[in-house]
Amino acid sequence: MTELLQQTVSGLTTGLVYAALALAIALVFQGTGTLNFAQGEFATLAAFVSFALSTAGLSWWLIVPLLVVLAFVFGAGVERLLVRPVEGSGPLALLTVTAALLLGSNAVVALIWGTDVRSMASPFGGAVYHVGPLTFTAQAIGGGALVLLAMLLCGLIFRFTPLGLRLRAVADNPDSARLLGISTGVMLAVGWGIAAAVGAVAGLVAAPTLGLSPELMTNALLLALAAVTLGGFSSRLGAVVGGLLIGVLSNLASRYVPGIGGDLQLVVPFAVIFLVLLVRPQGLFGRASTVRA
Amino acid sequence: MATSISGPPTRTEGAAPTPTPTAAPALAELRPMWRRPVTWAWTALFVVALVVPFLISDYDLFKATRVLTIAIAVAGLNLLIGRAGQISAGHGALYGLGAYTAMILVKELGWAWPGAVLAAVVVSGAAGWLIGLPALRVRGLNLGLLTIAIAAIFPLLLSRFEGLTGGTIGLQLAGSPITPPAALALTPEQFQFLLLVVVLAVVLVLLRNLTTGPMGRAVEALRVNPLMARSEGVDVNRLTLTMFAISSAVAGLGGALGGLVLASTVPDSYSMFFSLTLLSACVVGGSRTWAGSLVGSAFIVYLPDVISQQIGSTTGGQWSQLVYAVALLLTLFFLPAGVAGGAGRWLARLTRRLRRRSHA
Amino acid sequence: MTGLLEVTGLTAGYGGVRVLHSMDLTVAENEIVAVLGANGAGKTTLLRALSGTVKAGGGISFAGRALNGTSAARIARSGLGHVPQGRGTFTALTVEENVRLGVISRPASTRAQADGDLDRIYDTFPVLREMRRRPAGALSGGQQQMLALARALMARPRLLLIDEPSLGLAPLTSADMFSVLARLREEWSLSVLLAEQNARASLKVADRGIVLARGRVVAAAPAAELAADAGLRAAYLGESPDGLTGVSS
């Protein structure tokens, strides 16, 4: 029983990373209408940048906000420069651009930092806490809190600020938004920026546990895609809940289902994508009408 | 009646690599096959390809054979992306499935290679059909979603089912089973190259006929506007599934021949990055021209060699990957019809101008 | 006299297909002009060309400023509101969020009065106040049309383009809609360019009317004259000469 609880809790903490990446993917999807295959690679890039900054001696108190700002600018810039030119060319061209971004940003990271797996010290230290029968590392608690904070902030921006209202309006009906004086182009870039910033936090938190390498978020991308599919592409909350569910599910599966261990955990998200598309394509929280054809 | 005026016209360009047909090719279609320059160009290329094996080294031939096996897979991808307007980010996995199926049948069960290749085609086609099933429920990006998931887990599955696949070491044969009959005085490389030339030619002719016949019109409707296709009586779901299955089978064919020629298959060869590289070859070459499959595959096979020669081999793979990505972006921005498509249009314009001048 | 909106030689189309051919049009301050015409005559394209959502050629001058080549978002912020066909409500947002989005295009000098305007709008459309926390997608067709109007009003436009407000509404609801328009014009000192297929009802509130056919203006006259011209209506508006297909009131 304790074992099950411990597995669930650690599934939740890894699930938070998938949730943040899934949220980023959902944000881009709601604005631009495409899956950003490169979202994971953007997060990997962010993790390496934060590693470089911390090696250079910067304090984590400085690195985290700096990283968020850098990631925002990067994401918005990518939308503006590389995605905008094919915006009117249909979903196929958009998706292909994100595939190119995946290939490209993976190559750039590997060229700059090499392909070896590096260990990155946790910004939260190596302490271990015991609560009743459960064990928590400082990394799990601190990282979880950081990701949760990032997602909460993102949610608050969308729900309660004038900027968020505009972003939601553009996602809902871009033509009408334009008629009301909203610059949809700016909003799409902002959407990509916020997505990259949330993803950057996910990358930063994942790196100490998974080890820093160009493949840091390759598997996480698949898990996040499964999370978004499960939660529904049209729902931000759904993406987050989906991420947590996927985290717990794949953790429990690798512990209790014989044969599904290690990397093979990825069978779980794959099965989830397959089944959800087959049974309930709009996902748990999604509205059928907003699924883009 | 004229309600369409009050709304924007239906997009005819559902995808980037879908140029609106210019008048020239449309006119050219009216001429009989043997009078079209394209027919002559292909015939000349075919004849040259039959002579090449006797002119270049076996090592160069081996590379060229690899271009041809990849070109088969890219042609399958062309059918899916350029014609049916669906995307696959996982054709590398289907190529790998073909390779592994053929290798297992030859190595473990002692099949003759032609039977193994046929079986690989069937297995890959069936896998494609199965993958396509959930993508039907909601169209759009779901095939992209599923195929990238397949691309990601395929190498993991290969490593996991060691008993069948040899795990991370993969499967190796002492030599390629594709050997020339004794009656023909050919080296294995010459024979393999010629075989691949013939297979690719047959594949291209079959795919071309498939997309120009009555089915081609339905496929065109499917790409341009699925809703309209449905209203015109096209069974959209079944057609999508058929296209994906055929495309997968063709990719499997390329993989089976590629694996057997190489006499080796390892999981690392069929990673997600290989799948995206194939996608890059398809789009850079030009997904709506069959010549594009050759151009694209030559690009992805020769580029790493060229780069490794220039800067040494340690980071050659990464530089190539970066170049694929940049080439892919540049193609999407500036040459949506791809290299072959762009060149084709340029040639058409040139001949039109020349003809006009000769008339004047 | 120079109007609020002056259009000369306007052309517009989609891709290679030209829909509007050299169109002239004027809307004066505080005037309601009905744009009539059969399906496909070019009414919607005209409105889209004016609001910058369709590429247009020719001259468009609004409040003394040329609008050609200006982005749709900027045109909206210059005081030209567009209530599109099918209402264009943000279905996932609440009713009040929809209305508040109208504020974006408001001239900076009137920002302070936004809350007061919201109250006035709720007084005009009490049903929107009742439903303000509900998602806009839950509203009926008529309520969504009111919402679209309310949202456009929040921008304090000088000219409102309204596209087929009666489309898909029950006759009684659409009669309400037209009488509201007359009231809004007074209360908000609005000019309105009203594209409608329902000639009878729209000519009742309009000062003038223009009739479009195949992308050209084929008639322009005071509303009463147009309303009386049964032959014109039969020729261009697809009504039978006795007016049976018009909505009777």
Side-chain angles (χ1 to χ4, degrees):
Chain A
M1 187 60 214
T2 311
E3 165 82 22
L4 181 69
L5 202 61
Q6 180 73 51
Q7 288 294 338
T8 308
V9 168
S10 70
L12 279 175
T13 47
T14 45
L16 278 168
V17 169
Y18 310 144
L21 200 59
L23 178 60
I25 289 171
L27 291 181
V28 165
F29 180 80
Q30 287 167 20
T32 308
T34 193
L35 299 175
N36 182 6
F37 283 163
Q39 202 75 59
E41 299 302 318
F42 289 1
T44 305
L45 182 62
F48 271 99
V49 169
S50 70
F51 171 74
L53 290 174
S54 90
T55 320
L58 255 65
S59 123
W60 284 106
W61 293 106
L62 214 61
I63 290 174
V64 173
L66 190 63
L67 190 69
V68 167
V69 172
L70 286 177
F72 177 88
V73 172
F74 174 80
V78 164
E79 198 281 336
R80 202 82 228 204
L81 297 175
L82 301 178
V83 180
R84 189 70 52 87
V86 295
E87 209 136 70
S89 309
L92 214 63
L94 277 168
L95 200 63
T96 313
V97 165
T98 73
L101 291 173
L102 194 173
L103 279 175
S105 98
N106 178 273
V108 166
V109 167
L111 282 171
I112 298 178
W113 286 286
T115 48
D116 298 337
V117 182
R118 296 156 192 252
S119 67
M120 178 168 145
S122 166
F124 306 98
V128 177
Y129 305 100
H130 297 277
V131 178
L134 300 176
T135 314
F136 296 92
T137 61
Q139 160 68 21
I141 296 171
L146 188 60
V147 175
L148 215 53
L149 183 71
M151 292 194 292
L152 199 68
L153 219 59
C154 175
L156 290 177
I157 289 174
F158 268 81
R159 188 73 189 76
F160 294 109
T161 67
L163 175 71
L165 184 57
R166 286 169 202 220
L167 286 164
R168 282 186 291 144
V170 171
D172 191 306
N173 189 338
D175 293 330
S176 280
R178 220 168 284 134
L179 288 177
L180 294 181
I182 302 174
S183 311
T184 46
V186 174
M187 290 304 131
L188 292 186
V190 169
W192 276 71
I194 296 181
V198 173
V201 174
L204 168 69
V205 168
T209 327
L210 297 178
L212 200 54
S213 85
E215 263 73 60
L216 172 64
M217 297 302 258
T218 312
N219 289 351
L221 172 75
L222 189 60
L223 290 152
L225 283 173
V228 189
T229 312
L230 181 62
F233 280 92
S234 56
S235 166
R236 290 182 299 278
L237 180 67
V240 174
V241 175
L244 296 175
L245 282 175
I246 292 287
V248 173
L249 258 176
S250 51
N251 224 33
L252 292 184
S254 73
R255 176 70 186 78
Y256 294 106
V257 180
I260 301 188
D263 270 353
L264 221 66
Q265 273 192 32
L266 280 197
V267 170
V268 172
F270 176 73
V272 167
I273 292 176
F274 201 88
L275 287 177
V276 172
L277 288 185
L278 213 53
V279 178
R280 193 181 155 83
Q282 73 272 31
L284 295 177
F285 293 76
R287 297 177 304 156
S289 60
T290 55
V291 175
R292 292 181 193 236
Chain B
M1 145 214 91
T3 43
S4 66
I5 289 180
S6 59
T10 334
R11 284 199 72 83
T12 47
E13 300 210 347
T18 56
T20 31
T22 50
L27 277 180
E29 294 297 313
L30 295 177
R31 271 179 276 159
M33 284 276 284
W34 61 271
R35 283 196 55 195
R36 290 181 214 158
V38 175
T39 315
W40 286 103
W42 278 109
T43 313
L45 188 67
F46 185 69
V47 171
V48 169
L50 293 184
V51 182
V52 158
F54 307 101
L55 303 176
I56 64 175
S57 75
D58 277 352
Y59 175 76
D60 288 336
L61 264 184
F62 178 73
K63 270 280 164 192
T65 305
R66 179 152 170 80
V67 171
L68 296 177
T69 62
I70 302 261
I72 293 175
V74 176
L77 207 46
N78 275 10
L79 175 74
L80 189 70
I81 293 179
R83 305 291 157 168
Q86 300 286 315
I87 204 166
S88 169
H91 257 46
L94 292 157
Y95 184 92
L97 183 63
Y100 266 92
T101 308
M103 284 293 278
I104 290 169
L105 290 177
V106 169
K107 189 178 181 193
E108 309 295 336
L109 301 178
W111 284 34
W113 68 266
V117 170
L118 276 183
V121 170
V122 172
V123 168
S124 310
W129 188 80
L130 206 69
I131 298 165
L133 268 185
L136 294 178
R137 285 297 301 274
V138 200
R139 297 172 50 80
L141 298 171
N142 289 327
L143 206 51
L145 180 66
L146 265 168
T147 48
I148 201 163
I150 303 256
I153 68 161
F154 181 67
L156 301 177
L157 291 176
L158 289 179
S159 307
R160 174 70 183 74
F161 292 102
E162 256 174 296
L164 203 55
T165 64
T168 46
I169 311 158
L171 298 172
Q172 278 77 29
L173 294 170
S176 172
I178 306 182
T179 46
L184 299 170
L186 296 168
T187 67
E189 283 78 8
Q190 286 170 336
F191 178 71
Q192 287 157 2
F193 180 83
L194 290 173
L195 174 75
L196 261 299
V197 167
V198 172
V199 171
L200 177 62
V202 170
V203 165
L204 289 182
V205 168
L206 286 179
L207 290 182
R208 185 196 162 276
N209 289 349
L210 186 73
T211 50
T212 46
M215 194 165 181
R217 270 192 291 282
V219 173
E220 183 68 12
L222 172 73
R223 178 177 62 86
V224 172
N225 188 339
L227 281 180
M228 203 144 79
R230 181 166 291 152
S231 74
E232 279 165 16
V234 177
D235 186 339
V236 167
N237 282 355
R238 213 172 122 186
L239 190 61
T240 311
L241 209 51
T242 310
M243 284 301 116
F244 195 72
I246 293 176
S247 172
S248 306
V250 172
L253 171 65
L257 289 167
L260 291 178
V261 166
L262 200 63
S264 162
T265 49
V266 286
D268 281 354
S269 307
Y270 312 110
S271 70
M272 182 172 81
F273 293 97
F274 176 58
S275 286
L276 295 179
T277 304
L278 286 182
L279 177 66
S280 172
C282 169
V283 174
V284 170
S287 65
R288 282 178 65 72
T289 50
W290 300 114
S293 57
L294 266 173
V295 175
S297 49
F299 170 62
I300 63 168
V301 171
Y302 286 119
L303 183 77
D305 287 2
V306 173
I307 288 185
S308 297
Q309 274 164 21
Q310 297 297 318
I311 59 157
S313 53
T314 45
T315 55
Q318 284 129 36
W319 279 109
S320 315
Q321 194 180 315
L322 185 58
V323 174
Y324 298 150
V326 172
L328 192 48
L329 286 176
L330 291 179
T331 309
L332 287 168
F333 295 163
F334 302 113
L335 209 62
V339 171
R345 255 194 249 172
W346 181 75
L347 276 178
R349 212 175 306 148
L350 195 74
T351 50
R352 222 179 317 148
R353 198 168 301 161
L354 287 177
R355 205 171 297 146
R356 214 175 293 144
R357 195 168 299 166
S358 68
H359 281 303
Chain C
M1 175 201 94
T2 54
L4 176 66
L5 178 75
E6 299 263 4
V7 176
T8 47
L10 181 74
T11 57
Y14 304 96
V17 187
R18 182 167 281 193
V19 179
L20 298 184
H21 310 273
S22 186
M23 188 174 278
D24 297 336
L25 169 76
T26 307
V27 180
E29 229 28 285
N30 213 18
E31 186 181 36
I32 298 185
V33 177
V35 181
L36 307 173
N39 238 340
K43 302 188 297 289
T44 295
T45 308
L46 170 64
L47 265 50
R48 287 188 177 166
L50 295 177
S51 65
T53 41
V54 161
K55 260 220 176 90
I60 306 173
S61 146
F62 174 65
R65 290 218 322 249
L67 290 190
N68 300 63
T70 314
S71 76
R74 190 158 299 166
I75 290 178
R77 278 174 285 190
S78 73
L80 195 153
H82 184 165
V83 181
Q85 197 175 50
R87 290 112 204 180
T89 42
F90 303 105
T91 49
L93 275 52
T94 66
V95 169
E96 185 151 316
E97 282 173 336
N98 265 273
V99 181
R100 282 197 180 278
L101 275 165
V103 177
I104 291 167
S105 298
R106 202 171 242 272
S109 57
T110 61
R111 284 278 154 85
Q113 301 150 31
D115 285 338
D117 283 352
L118 187 62
D119 273 338
R120 273 169 74 195
I121 283 169
Y122 279 152
D123 290 342
T124 312
F125 305 108
V127 65
L128 295 184
R129 175 176 279 147
E130 278 168 39
M131 312 265 287
R132 67 182 188 280
R133 305 240 174 274
R134 304 276 302 276
L139 300 184
S140 73
Q143 291 164 341
Q144 292 209 20
Q145 187 64 54
M146 289 176 199
L147 177 59
L149 264 178
R151 190 177 63 185
L153 286 175
M154 275 306 274
R156 277 291 186 105
R158 297 178 67 184
L159 172 65
L160 208 48
L161 315 175
I162 308 180
D163 199 351
E164 300 270 6
S166 74
L167 196 72
L169 299 188
L172 262 179
T173 321
S174 84
D176 273 354
M177 185 59 69
F178 287 114
S179 61
V180 162
L181 274 186
R183 227 180 101 196
L184 291 178
R185 179 236 307 247
E186 301 310 326
E187 290 174 12
W188 296 74
S189 51
L190 273 178
S191 301
V192 177
L193 192 62
L194 173 66
E196 253 300 338
Q197 276 198 72
N198 185 343
R200 278 187 172 225
S202 54
L203 287 174
K204 258 182 206 149
V205 295
D207 306 304
R208 288 191 301 122
I210 62 168
V211 181
L212 303 191
R214 295 187 187 166
R216 294 176 205 278
V217 179
V218 291
E225 262 176 54
L226 278 184
D229 193 340
L232 186 81
R233 295 215 311 267
Y236 295 109
L237 306 177
E239 290 185 18
S240 55
D242 54 13
L244 277 180
T245 53
V247 175
S248 50
S249 49

